Amino acid sequence: MKRKKIVAGNWKMNMTLDESVNLINELKQISTNDVDIKIAPSFTNLNKAVSLLDSSKIEVIGQNVHSEQRGAFTGEISIEMLKSVGVYSIIIGHSERRKYFNENDSILSKKAKMAIDNSLNIIFCIGEELSEREKGNHFELIKNQIINGLFGLDKDQIKNVVVAYEPVWAIGTGKTAENYQIQEMHEFIRKLFNDKYGSDISHQIRILYGGSVKPNNAEEIFSLNDVDGGLIGGASLNFSDFNAIVQAANG
Ligand code: 13P
């Protein structure tokens, strides 16, 4: 079964409003029917991004969300707030949230459940540190991140989830994982979904790779059997690189 590829740009804590507007105006030129394109600007730029991309196929998504509906959580953003500005998907569990903001499996599973229960789609990130890989623990760790973070969702809910495998040692380092490392992990992840939810779901679920995807390596990574696109950091911050990566996913 052919799964439509996704190329999602995670802008992280980059881009002022003016910079975002400039980049979005360039992104509007991207032409493809074969790829789902998403961008995740910072919260302050979401509203503007949604209005600029109103008639475009590019989807604006959030980088994070709080697990409670509303209340005394200074500095946090709720699901309702995101939806009120036209954002219906978010990234959950990015390794930077796990590492710098202590978001553990239990917080992340709560966020995932709350998001899905309230009709937000999610890109759920998982990934091992280099030390875990060197100890040979990477498969076990990824399995636990998935079981703890996502397997509380039922079969209908899991259809609204995209998984992003981002080995932490490949993020922002210029050190991409080897193709065989990417493919074997994606295959492993798909098998976990098969064992839990059955073959229809495991064939449908899209698994993105993230970690130093650039124009010069995107095509070969995206051609791997179980890779359904990419979650792009640094290279999503300029038009020509991001466009080249989208084109690499095309067709
Ligand atoms: P880089 O593409 O900069 O390595 O970042 C990947 C990432 O963390 C996307 O979420």
Side-chain angles (χ1 to χ4, degrees):
M1 160 190 182
K2 190 158 160 47
R3 293 174 293 269
K4 192 171 181 188
K5 291 211 165 32
I6 297 173
V7 174
N10 176 8
W11 291 7
K12 308 191 179 183
M13 198 175 73
N14 296 293
M15 310 295 266
T16 62
L17 181 59
D18 284 351
E19 288 166 346
S20 304
V21 169
N22 290 340
L23 179 53
I24 288 168
N25 282 332
E26 290 183 299
L27 294 176
K28 284 186 193 170
Q29 309 161 34
I30 298 184
S31 120
T32 166
N33 286 321
D34 290 345
V35 184
D36 287 335
I37 307 174
K38 303 173 195 289
I39 55 166
S42 62
F43 289 119
T44 51
N45 300 331
L46 288 178
N47 198 357
K48 186 71 180 175
V50 169
S51 70
L52 287 171
L53 290 168
D54 198 24
S55 54
S56 137
K57 286 194 187 141
I58 300 178
E59 186 192 3
V60 178
I61 70 175
Q63 295 181 17
N64 185 28
V65 71
H66 196 262
S67 57
E68 298 295 332
Q69 300 270 25
R70 68 179 65 78
F73 301 101
T74 301
E76 291 295 320
I77 307 284
S78 72
I79 291 170
E80 187 173 55
M81 292 170 190
L82 290 170
K83 284 162 72 174
S84 75
V85 296
V87 170
Y88 297 96
S89 302
I90 37 151
I91 298 171
I92 291 183
H94 193 281
S95 62
E96 287 146 19
R97 298 296 318 171
R98 294 176 188 261
K99 190 161 152 187
Y100 304 129
F101 302 96
N102 301 322
E103 294 194 2
N104 57 27
D105 285 349
S106 119
I107 293 172
L108 295 172
S109 78
K110 199 167 164 201
K111 286 190 178 196
K113 176 106 179 58
M114 190 59 107
I116 298 281
D117 278 347
N118 288 281
S119 314
L120 276 193
N121 299 323
I122 62 178
I123 297 182
F124 192 85
C125 303
I126 50 177
E128 82 285 356
E129 298 275 352
L130 187 57
S131 58
E132 298 295 337
R133 181 169 277 272
E134 283 171 348
K135 280 186 265 170
N137 285 347
H138 44 299
F139 288 109
E140 195 58 25
L141 185 132
I142 295 298
K143 182 176 170 183
N144 287 334
Q145 288 181 343
I146 290 181
I147 291 176
N148 297 335
L150 287 177
F151 280 5
L153 299 174
D154 67 28
K155 210 167 169 173
D156 267 344
Q157 295 177 315
I158 207 75
K159 291 179 182 154
N160 300 317
V161 175
V162 169
V163 175
Y165 170 58
E166 301 201 298
V168 179
W169 46 274
I171 295 179
T173 56
K175 189 174 185 314
T176 327
E178 301 284 341
N179 289 344
Y180 83 89
Q181 294 173 314
I182 301 174
Q183 172 52 29
E184 70 178 3
M185 187 57 86
H186 281 231
E187 197 176 331
F188 175 76
I189 294 166
R190 202 174 295 287
K191 170 120 187 3
L192 294 173
F193 281 89
N194 181 68
D195 296 348
K196 170 79 180 167
Y197 295 103
S199 72
D200 282 359
I201 298 281
S202 79
H203 283 111
Q204 279 163 26
I205 194 156
R206 290 182 286 180
I207 308 173
L208 313 183
Y209 169 78
S212 297
V213 177
K214 306 287 177 200
N216 64 0
N217 60 21
E219 197 171 338
E220 55 174 315
I221 294 172
F222 296 163
S223 70
L224 299 169
N225 262 349
D226 287 296
V227 175
D228 305 310
L231 185 54
I232 319 299
S236 70
L237 297 174
N238 74 77
F239 170 72
S240 64
D241 283 359
F242 192 65
N243 184 36
I245 292 170
V246 171
Q247 299 314 324
N250 217 351

